[in-house]
Amino acid sequence: MVKRSTRYILLAWLLFIAAAVAVVFRTHFVADLSAFLPKSPNVKQQILVEQLKEGAIARLVLIGIEGGDATQRADASRQLQAELSKRPLFSVVQNGDPAAMQADQAYYFKNRYLLSPAVEKDHFSEAGIKASIQQLLIAMSGDSGLLIKKLLPSDPTGETLQILEQFMSSGGPRTEDDVWVSKDGQRAVLMAQLASSGLNTDEQALALDDIRAAFTKASQHTPQLKLVMTGTAVFSVYSRDTIKSEVERLATLGTVLVIVLLLLVYRSFRLLLLGVLPVASGALAGIAAVSIGFGYVHGLTLGFGTTLIGEAVDYSIYLFIQSGQEKKAYFWRTIRLGVLASIAGFAVLMVSSFPGLSQLGVYSIAGLLVAVLVTRFVLPVLMPTQLKMPALTGTATILDHVFEGLRHIRWVPIVLLVVSFTYLLMNHQRLWSRQLSSLSTISAAQSQLDAKLRGDFGNTDMRYIVSFHAPTQEAALQKAETVSGVLNQLVAANQIQGFQSPSNILPSVATQQKRLAAIPDQATLVKNLNAALVGMPVSADKLTGFVTAVTAAKQQGVITKAGLAKTASGVLLDSMLIRRANDYLVMMPLVPLANGLVTNTFQQSLDRAGLAGVSVLDVVEETSGVFGRYTEEAMTLSLVGSAAIVALFVFSKGWRTAWRISFPLLCAVVVVMAIFAWLHIQMTILHLVGLLLLVAIGSNYVLFFAEDETDRDLASRQKMEVSLVVANLATVCSFGLLGTSSVPVLSFMGSTVGIGTFLALIFAAMLVRQRYVKASE
């Protein structure tokens, strides 16, 4: 008959599982870059966040078509552009085809008198018109002669060329057969702007699939053509898919290995299934806790969190193998202290400004707590009353002899600690990597392709940005015009090659009104034009279109964003003029010289010009700075967590035992760090998380060895040793497999925990078990 308390325990557990499942079912999972974005960004970090969300840098996909001949590539380019332009995932797709850019060309030509910076007072005076036409006639003898000759009748004052000049500094691809091509002409190139946020990896993946499908259709009769793509979206989707694939492959293989191991030990499917319950319950609790606390769960948290609570499988191993011991209080006391040590270590992660780490802290603590509670109260209820574990006497005896032998070389970890610590001191300047690129899954070939395609487009790097905010769109555009004036001076001073400004696409209303005021009435314009043409090889009757256009411009009034609907320029404007909840953020990409840009010096130039509140941002430097600060913070938090664990040991066991427990873990941590340094592997924030997990798992080994066992028999001691070895093998197998991954974020974590936990067990046997043996004698 089932006891009432047993029914209550099972009922409570099932209700909890049901509640957790309900929360998980409603949980929003994300796989974007939000885990790497700061919780409370400063001004420059906020610009970086906005750029990652809405900026062109995050939403741009550069496409190349290789193989075949030039005609085949051009035809495929046109078909691809036409097909993608119909799809809602893209806000604009350009390939240089004039037919595809008609809307943009029409906007600039129709509004040239409001867009041209040359339209000022006296621009349409007799002298102004005469000077403009003379310049145009001189330019007609140059490379652009045919274009200018075509423009002259309708635009004799050269406004179109003035507008083009503003965009020329930002560079652009070559054009052949009316489509863009690479510098060497061997690749047709296109540019696609995604409609969704740069953080929406799911939408990005769908858009990339659309591009592949459209290319397959466009190249169905020319199979020799090849599609290549690059851009932030391409890298984000590739990284996510690679990590997901590696996690699934290695987790499956690791699970199989652990199952085989546990079946060899348990020789019972029932015990195997029971051993899964703490892990599954802990994982559900972890997801539910993060979902409630943060409102969403990041894929990074899910992947690493599940790995972290892999520690939970150890609890059932200890319980099953050490079952039947009379001193159960000793067993649960040891488990409790080990769990508290883990919680003390992971609790510090919750206060991290790195959202990925703070979610990981919540997930781990909730998961471990629930896992150990299920092990303590649910498993004993579900376990067979008379648990029949296979006799492991032979294995236990061999392990006992091995551990006995290890304590005779207890000097080894001490020597390793001294050597490792010395080596780390000598190489302390190159121990840590603070670059986000160190976690990148992008191959060298992908990086080279990215550089080539960006080179084809001239300047799409957008590494350097001048940014500021303003309360209204008009204020933002007016300030952009002021900043543009200063930047033009810096271009002339050869400090930058060029820049882009939203005011070049949509001038402020104030500027447009000034230009409208500079346009004379039709009678005055005709009079000035006729006088200006005296003695010039241009007759007035050829310029009637010019008079009509200028008159129409004066009558039409100011232009607005509505005129840019469904144009590539409208998308470009939106990426530079971002509307936020309470203001507008302006981001003006700079085109640096070949030797780059010194942001501090450039900032000083802007400050001297009196541009208050205008910042220069180096996206690469700021990204590295954010990650570097995460790493510094994680190092501090790790030290705090380690101190909390030691304090817990001191409080529970006293100074002497606390030192005995902590010393093997210290040896393992230092030796692991020295191994990475010796292999010239710079450690990252994920190595730190791995070291914390090493301490959390390793503390269980040390605590079992350190527990006073003077009144325990040899069989109990050997069961304990077997359970530690089985748990260690399970950990080393699963994390060791992760350590073989080609994905840095998996390899770093797996190798740290795999090597570290093995060393923790060996060092614990060498340094702690000796006192235990003496006590038992």
Side-chain angles (χ1 to χ4, degrees):
M1 183 176 178
V2 180
K3 295 181 179 178
R4 178 177 298 179
S5 59
T6 299
R7 290 199 297 270
Y8 288 154
I9 290 172
L10 291 177
L11 180 61
W13 173 60
L14 291 173
L15 288 175
F16 174 81
I17 294 297
V21 168
V23 174
V24 172
F25 185 73
R26 299 171 59 87
T27 294
H28 176 55
F29 294 92
V30 300
D32 53 28
L33 294 174
S34 58
F36 295 94
L37 301 180
K39 285 180 182 175
S40 304
N42 57 32
V43 175
K44 288 192 173 183
Q45 290 171 349
Q46 184 59 44
I47 296 172
L48 178 64
V49 170
E50 298 286 352
Q51 178 70 354
L52 289 173
K53 287 181 177 176
E54 304 296 342
I57 192 172
R59 298 166 56 196
L60 198 63
V61 179
L62 304 182
I63 304 169
I65 300 175
E66 300 176 340
D69 57 36
T71 302
Q72 291 171 331
R73 292 193 293 270
D75 289 342
S77 173
R78 278 186 280 270
Q79 291 181 50
L80 187 58
Q81 189 278 334
E83 183 66 25
L84 293 179
S85 296
K86 302 174 188 172
R87 310 207 176 189
L89 293 175
F90 302 93
S91 51
V92 67
V93 182
Q94 294 290 351
N95 67 339
D97 188 345
M101 301 180 71
Q102 284 181 351
D104 290 81
Q105 291 172 350
Y107 170 80
Y108 287 110
F109 193 71
K110 178 185 177 184
N111 302 303
R112 59 191 181 279
Y113 297 107
L114 295 181
L115 294 171
S116 171
V119 177
E120 297 177 340
K121 185 181 180 184
D122 297 333
H123 184 64
F124 294 103
S125 66
E126 175 188 338
I129 295 174
K130 191 177 189 72
S132 296
I133 294 177
Q134 285 176 335
Q135 289 180 6
L136 215 59
L137 292 174
I138 293 172
M140 199 179 290
S141 60
D143 296 337
S144 304
L146 289 177
L147 172 64
I148 295 172
K149 187 177 181 180
K150 187 177 178 181
L151 286 172
L152 181 62
S154 57
D155 189 16
T157 50
E159 315 309 337
T160 305
L161 296 180
Q162 292 285 344
I163 296 169
L164 283 175
E165 191 175 331
Q166 295 182 95
F167 295 95
M168 291 295 287
S169 61
S170 58
R174 286 179 53 198
T175 301
E176 286 183 9
D177 197 10
D178 285 340
V179 299
W180 289 333
V181 298
S182 59
K183 290 180 178 178
D184 60 6
Q186 297 302 306
R187 179 169 48 232
V189 293
L190 303 89
M191 182 183 293
Q193 188 92 28
L194 304 183
S196 61
S197 163
L199 297 181
N200 193 333
T201 313
D202 292 334
E203 290 281 327
Q204 290 173 342
L206 293 174
L208 298 182
D209 288 341
D210 268 7
I211 294 174
R212 296 187 186 95
F215 174 75
T216 301
K217 183 178 178 181
S219 62
Q220 55 184 336
H221 301 302
T222 49
Q224 62 272 38
L225 296 180
K226 175 187 173 186
L227 174 71
V228 293
M229 294 186 289
T230 192
T232 305
V234 177
F235 291 159
S236 298
V237 173
Y238 172 80
S239 297
R240 185 195 66 173
D241 293 347
T242 302
I243 292 173
K244 181 181 178 184
S245 170
E246 280 284 275
V247 167
E248 289 177 351
R249 183 178 67 83
L250 296 174
T252 301
L253 188 55
T255 302
V256 170
L257 283 177
V258 172
I259 287 175
V260 170
L261 173 68
L262 296 183
L263 278 178
L264 287 174
V265 176
Y266 297 158
R267 297 175 195 176
S268 166
F269 283 103
R270 181 177 180 181
L271 289 184
L272 180 67
L273 293 175
L274 288 176
V276 173
L277 293 182
V279 181
S281 303
L284 283 173
I287 297 172
V290 173
S291 178
I292 293 171
F294 293 83
Y296 68 96
V297 177
H298 197 280
L300 186 70
T301 307
L302 191 62
F304 288 124
T306 303
T307 305
L308 288 178
I309 68 162
E311 178 186 355
V313 78
D314 291 358
Y315 301 147
S316 58
I317 292 174
Y318 298 144
L319 176 67
F320 295 153
I321 297 180
Q322 298 188 46
S323 63
Q325 297 185 65
E326 294 181 356
K327 298 294 183 182
K328 292 183 178 178
Y330 134 79
F331 175 83
W332 290 115
R333 188 170 61 242
T334 304
I335 292 291
R336 184 172 62 244
L337 188 54
V339 172
L340 290 175
S342 299
I343 291 174
F346 290 124
V348 295
L349 298 182
M350 293 194 298
V351 300
S352 171
S353 60
F354 184 0
L357 275 189
S358 55
Q359 280 202 6
L360 209 54
V362 173
Y363 187 105
S364 302
I365 290 174
L368 287 176
L369 270 176
V370 171
V372 77
L373 288 173
V374 171
T375 306
R376 174 66 181 91
F377 297 105
V378 177
L379 287 192
V381 173
L382 299 177
M383 285 169 57
T385 308
Q386 297 297 324
L387 184 60
K388 295 180 179 179
M389 288 290 297
L392 299 170
T393 309
T395 302
T397 303
I398 293 172
L399 286 177
D400 198 49
H401 287 311
V402 170
F403 283 137
E404 188 69 16
L406 286 176
R407 73 182 183 87
H408 293 299
I409 54 172
R410 58 190 312 169
W411 51 269
V412 170
I414 299 172
V415 171
L416 287 175
L417 175 66
V418 173
V419 172
S420 298
F421 192 71
T422 304
Y423 187 78
L424 291 174
L425 278 181
M426 293 172 62
N427 298 277
H428 68 281
Q429 292 184 332
R430 58 180 180 85
L431 291 180
W432 298 96
S433 171
R434 293 169 173 78
Q435 302 296 317
L436 183 59
S437 57
S438 60
L439 302 180
S440 174
T441 59
I442 306 305
S443 66
Q446 289 172 305
S447 297
Q448 290 173 2
L449 174 64
D450 183 70
K452 284 181 181 177
L453 281 174
R454 290 186 185 281
D456 292 341
F457 279 93
N459 295 287
T460 55
D461 193 5
M462 297 190 182
R463 170 174 175 174
Y464 303 100
I465 294 170
V466 167
S467 181
F468 57 88
H469 60 87
T472 64
Q473 174 179 298
E474 175 64 11
L477 290 172
Q478 287 187 21
K479 193 162 186 175
E481 289 164 351
T482 304
V483 173
S484 295
V486 176
L487 293 179
N488 277 323
Q489 295 173 16
L490 296 175
V491 171
N494 204 31
Q495 289 196 29
I496 54 172
Q497 185 178 335
F499 65 92
Q500 293 182 1
S501 172
S503 60
N504 290 344
I505 301 173
L506 181 66
S508 68
V509 172
T511 294
Q512 291 188 56
Q513 287 174 339
K514 284 182 182 177
R515 290 172 183 169
L516 284 171
I519 298 176
D521 58 60
Q522 186 172 1
T524 304
L525 177 64
V526 172
K527 175 186 171 187
N528 292 343
L529 177 62
N530 288 331
L533 291 176
V534 174
M536 299 188 72
V538 181
S539 60
D541 60 340
K542 300 287 185 183
L543 303 181
T544 54
F546 163 67
V547 175
T548 303
V550 173
T551 303
K554 187 170 182 64
Q555 293 173 349
Q556 77 172 24
V558 296
I559 52 178
T560 65
K561 279 187 69 177
L564 288 158
K566 298 183 178 180
T567 65
S569 298
V571 175
L572 179 60
L573 177 66
D574 287 340
S575 71
M576 293 190 286
L577 181 66
I578 299 172
R579 184 172 186 175
R580 303 192 297 194
N582 300 312
D583 61 7
Y584 282 80
L585 177 69
V586 177
M587 294 192 287
M588 300 169 61
L590 300 177
V591 183
L593 301 175
N595 56 353
L597 184 72
V598 180
T599 53
N600 288 338
T601 305
F602 200 81
Q603 182 70 60
Q604 290 171 4
S605 299
L606 296 179
D607 294 343
R608 282 196 296 272
L611 296 177
V614 178
S615 301
V616 181
L617 175 70
D618 180 343
V619 173
V620 174
E621 184 178 283
E622 194 60 35
T623 304
S624 300
V626 169
F627 191 70
R629 285 187 283 276
Y630 283 158
T631 305
E632 298 286 348
E633 181 189 79
M635 293 168 71
T636 303
L637 292 176
S638 297
L639 290 175
V640 173
S642 300
I645 292 172
V646 172
L648 177 68
F649 290 156
V650 172
F651 179 77
S652 305
K653 299 290 186 180
W655 281 104
R656 181 184 293 273
T657 304
W659 171 248
R660 287 180 57 211
I661 295 171
S662 304
F663 189 63
L665 299 176
L666 173 66
C667 291
V669 169
V670 173
V671 172
V672 168
M673 292 175 66
I675 289 174
F676 287 126
W678 182 66
L679 293 174
H680 302 288
I681 298 174
Q682 286 189 303
M683 289 186 288
T684 67
I685 197 167
L686 291 178
H687 287 94
L688 277 174
V689 177
L691 291 175
L692 270 179
L693 188 54
L694 181 169
V695 173
I697 297 175
S699 62
N700 290 321
Y701 309 151
V702 185
L703 287 170
F704 272 113
F705 278 129
E707 188 66 31
D708 181 12
E709 302 175 20
T710 53
D711 55 350
R712 286 206 297 153
D713 57 27
L714 179 62
S716 296
R717 186 187 67 183
Q718 290 183 343
K719 281 186 176 181
M720 180 270 291
E721 291 172 346
V722 170
S723 70
L724 295 186
V725 171
V726 172
N728 185 256
L729 281 174
T731 302
V732 171
C733 283
S734 55
F735 282 95
L737 281 171
L738 285 181
T740 65
S741 173
S742 60
V743 177
V745 292
L746 301 178
S747 173
F748 294 163
M749 172 81 82
S751 55
T752 303
V753 180
I755 297 171
T757 51
F758 175 75
L759 291 177
L761 177 65
I762 299 300
F763 291 167
M766 289 176 175
L767 297 169
V768 180
R769 187 176 180 276
Q770 183 183 39
R771 289 175 181 262
Y772 160 76
V773 172
K774 284 182 178 179
S776 66
E777 289 173 350

